[in-house]
Amino acid sequence: MRGWRNAVQETAASKPLFLTIYATVILGTVVSSFYVFSAIYSPTASPTRSISSSWLLAPPLSQNGVSLSSNISQPSQHRSNKLRPIWEAPSRTSKMPRLKSFRLTKELVAQRAKDNVIIVTFGNFAFMDFILTWVKHLTDLGVSNLLVGAMDTKLLNALYWKGIPVFDMGSHISTDDVGWGSPIFHKMGRQKVLLINAILPFGFELLMCDTDMVWLKNPLPYLARYPDADILTSSDQVVPTVVDDRLADWKQVGAAYNIGIFHWRPTPPAKKLAKEWIDMLLADDRIWDQNGFNELVRRQTGPAFDDESGIFYSYDGNLKLGILPESIFCSGHTYFVQALHQQFRLQPYALHTTFQYAGTEGKRHRLREAMVFFDPPEYYDAPGGFLSFRPSISKSLLLDGEHNLESHFSLINYQMRQIRSALALASVLNRTLVMPPLWCRLDRLWFPHPGALLGSMTRQPFLCPLDHVFEVRESWLDVQLCQEGTEDCHASSNTSRPGLLRFPKRSSEETLKKVFSSFKDVKVIQFSSMQDAFLGFTDKTREEKFRKRVKQYVGIWCCVENHIPGHIYYDMYWDEKPGWKPVPPKTPEDDHPPF
């Protein structure tokens, strides 16, 4: 520990950032020992910032526990029998250990490590569901050499009582979602670099992960294929550089190296980079941690370490770096938009929810769409049940003509009108709408583009990522729309056969309520089509509230080339505006949603 304490003291002398630094003084006696903490302030005359190190020391977690009564997998432990299996919660009759017992130490990491590798993520209470998802995927894969850093005591308590190996980072971060790019977001990023600097001196390999990613396949055998690499990192590369599972071709990777997934070995070059990285961030709080990492490692790129591995020299000419392949260590673009792993017939290792546009909620929705998010059973038991429908889209809307703004918006608007009707029907029936798959002809990015990124394998049309995806496993009622007056078509709860209801088109709100009240115990009502399913609201006040609400459900498409601003607003009620065209705002005054 002496080496880490010296490193912290050196950092404190060079404008440290954020939290209080504590130095540890060990006073031993024959019978017992204890820690005395005293605050250490920078001796410089300039304004200083402090760093918390209270999460750097800890004995192992409490050993008392009983099994959780849950359906979460509990992999066998391959190490000491003294360790409680992950997901096995402590006895509810036991007391919460003191906070200092959760400090990070070499001994704690050694107990959790396997083959000298430890896998770590961290976060605050707002990301607890992401953390549980992250842990569950690893344990389902039989991987248990993991630790979670808690940035607030609320998360620490919650994870401890769920049987998750957790340590205290002493960060005192807000328990709320901090938002990308906020000052607290940058503060959390610096905590990641502090954590790397803390663990590397312990001598363990460190697989550091963001919480908004999941493991789909055990990554440890893959990482072990490249023992000569000091660091293996993911990237934001969207144009494929390899078509198999080799490391990415570093000469072709022009996108940023993404620090959401990267593996560090405790080598002198890696330790040197980690130290310079944290010094850079603490000296200038305007630097984003990922940008700082890229600036440092790209000081030198090349030559290749050898002819086969894909590893190359970087940083100071001594650090050996490898870029994880973009098709199987997936970004939000290579997984959801391009589906590179499917096109190359490869099994992905990881999914990181980058390249998405709806904040933290959008990340949850993406993972739910991929059916990889860990939700409690009650999430799939919405009050009132669900409503679903099978979209009807013509071949001409999907494939005919060029893939351009006009054809893209024609396709989206056609689907949007059906979804609008379904939302109205779900509102009348007090049900939750299961969003259908949504087809797009153009990609969406933050900058002008021709519709699909050049060099990428984006297929047009493609299934767009959605905000809401539900999995339903219970009872189901199919509804087929029919022409009133034809055989077996009547507004009645009597079904023509079990599980099937033929129902007249353009039925009123009262008729819908009357008929479907008989099916309140049916979990899912699915319409074969949404075209002309609903005549309209009879209560105009309710209709106006509905219109105001759903208008805010849609966002923008971005971005038109050679035009500022280049984004175009989607409009839920586009069909009520004669001559509506997909054009960007002409003036700053026009740059607002169509509310």
Side-chain angles (χ1 to χ4, degrees), residues 61 77 79 83-86 106-114 117-119 144-147 163-166:
L61 298 178
Q77 297 291 319
R79 296 175 302 286
L83 281 180
R84 185 173 58 245
I86 297 175
K106 182 176 181 179
E107 291 72 26
L108 174 61
V109 178
Q111 285 187 331
R112 282 292 166 188
K114 181 181 178 182
V117 178
I118 189 70
I119 310 173
S144 56
N145 50 321
L146 60 91
L147 281 170
I164 306 298
V166 61

Side-chain angles (χ1 to χ4, degrees), residues 292-365:
F293 177 81
N294 277 265
E295 179 181 335
L296 291 173
V297 296
R298 289 179 184 270
R299 284 178 181 171
Q300 177 178 331
T301 52
F305 170 69
D306 55 26
D307 295 331
E308 298 294 332
S309 68
I311 299 170
F312 62 101
Y313 288 102
S314 66
Y315 177 45
D316 60 355
N318 295 312
L319 184 100
K320 298 183 288 295
L321 183 66
I323 313 300
L324 297 168
E326 56 281 335
S327 59
I328 51 179
F329 289 84
C330 306
S331 69
H333 197 278
T334 60
Y335 188 93
F336 287 103
V337 177
Q338 297 187 64
L340 284 182
H341 59 287
Q342 294 179 359
Q343 299 201 58
F344 292 149
R345 301 292 192 270
L346 298 171
Q347 185 177 357
Y349 281 88
L351 164 57
H352 190 191
T353 53
T354 56
F355 289 88
Q356 58 85 35
Y357 309 94
T360 303
E361 282 302 316
K363 294 177 183 290
R364 286 188 178 92
H365 301 153

Side-chain angles (χ1 to χ4, degrees), residues 430-492:
N430 194 30
R431 287 179 172 261
T432 298
L433 175 66
V434 180
M435 292 291 286
L438 187 65
W439 286 93
C440 291
R441 295 181 70 144
L442 299 185
D443 198 356
R444 176 183 175 180
L445 295 158
W446 297 276
F447 49 84
H449 61 95
L453 287 172
L454 297 177
S456 72
M457 295 184 65
T458 303
R459 294 171 292 186
Q460 294 174 278
F462 63 94
L463 286 173
C464 310
L466 290 172
D467 288 333
H468 298 84
V469 175
F470 298 91
E471 179 183 290
V472 181
R473 301 176 179 174
E474 300 187 33
S475 55
W476 196 286
L477 173 67
D478 280 320
V479 181
Q480 292 182 359
L481 297 179
C482 54
Q483 195 67 43
E484 190 168 13
T486 59
E487 184 180 0
D488 200 25
C489 181
H490 47 81
S492 170

Side-chain angles (χ1 to χ4, degrees), residues 62-296:
S62 171
Q63 307 305 316
N64 299 324
V66 293
S67 297
L68 279 171
S69 56
S70 71
N71 60 354
I72 300 172
S73 63
Q74 298 180 9
S76 60
Q77 297 291 319
H78 301 288
R79 296 175 302 286
S80 170
N81 291 330
K82 294 181 179 180
L83 281 180
R84 185 173 58 245
I86 297 175
W87 299 112
E88 184 177 295
S91 170
R92 284 294 175 179
T93 60
S94 63
K95 293 183 178 180
M96 180 74 184
R98 290 187 297 175
L99 187 61
K100 70 177 185 179
S101 67
F102 292 97
R103 300 187 196 103
L104 183 66
T105 63
K106 182 176 181 179
E107 291 72 26
L108 174 61
V109 178
Q111 285 187 331
R112 282 292 166 188
K114 181 181 178 182
D115 298 328
N116 207 50
V117 178
I118 189 70
I119 310 173
V120 176
T121 193
F122 68 97
N124 66 351
F125 186 77
F127 285 83
M128 181 173 172
D129 52 352
F130 285 92
I131 291 170
L132 294 178
T133 297
W134 184 85
V135 173
K136 186 177 188 299
H137 276 275
L138 285 174
T139 55
D140 281 353
L141 293 167
V143 178
S144 56
N145 50 321
L146 60 91
L147 281 170
V148 177
M151 305 188 78
D152 59 72
T153 55
K154 188 176 181 181
L155 175 65
L156 187 146
N157 277 268
L159 293 180
Y160 171 76
W161 289 112
K162 286 186 174 292
I164 306 298
V166 61
F167 64 92
D168 177 30
M169 294 180 65
S171 307
H172 307 294
I173 292 287
S174 168
T175 59
D176 299 326
D177 183 2
V178 299
W180 191 95
S182 68
I184 299 181
F185 172 85
H186 289 294
K187 181 177 181 180
M188 293 177 71
R190 281 155 172 75
Q191 293 292 312
K192 175 193 295 185
V193 190
L194 283 168
L195 186 55
I196 293 170
N197 276 276
I199 294 179
L200 287 183
F202 293 163
F204 298 96
E205 296 183 26
L206 171 63
L207 178 53
M208 176 61 71
C209 316
D210 284 352
T211 58
D212 63 340
M213 60 81 55
V214 296
W215 292 107
L216 306 176
K217 186 177 179 180
N218 183 358
L220 300 181
Y222 185 93
L223 302 175
R225 287 166 50 180
Y226 303 97
D228 294 312
D230 298 303
I231 297 175
L232 295 168
T233 182
S234 59
S235 77
D236 289 333
Q237 183 72 15
V238 295
V239 177
T241 64
V242 292
V243 297
D244 51 27
D245 67 349
R246 292 174 297 169
L247 289 177
D249 185 342
W250 58 274
K251 294 181 180 179
Q252 297 183 37
V253 177
Y257 304 150
N258 191 293
I259 62 174
I261 307 171
F262 58 168
H263 178 255
W264 292 67
R265 288 191 169 89
T267 61
K271 293 177 183 177
K272 178 183 176 183
L273 171 62
K275 177 62 169 59
E276 185 171 355
W277 188 15
I278 191 59
D279 287 345
M280 168 193 283
L281 298 179
L282 296 177
D284 187 348
D285 58 10
R286 296 169 298 178
I287 299 176
W288 180 25
D289 54 348
Q290 181 166 290
N291 287 349
F293 177 81
N294 277 265
E295 179 181 335
L296 291 173

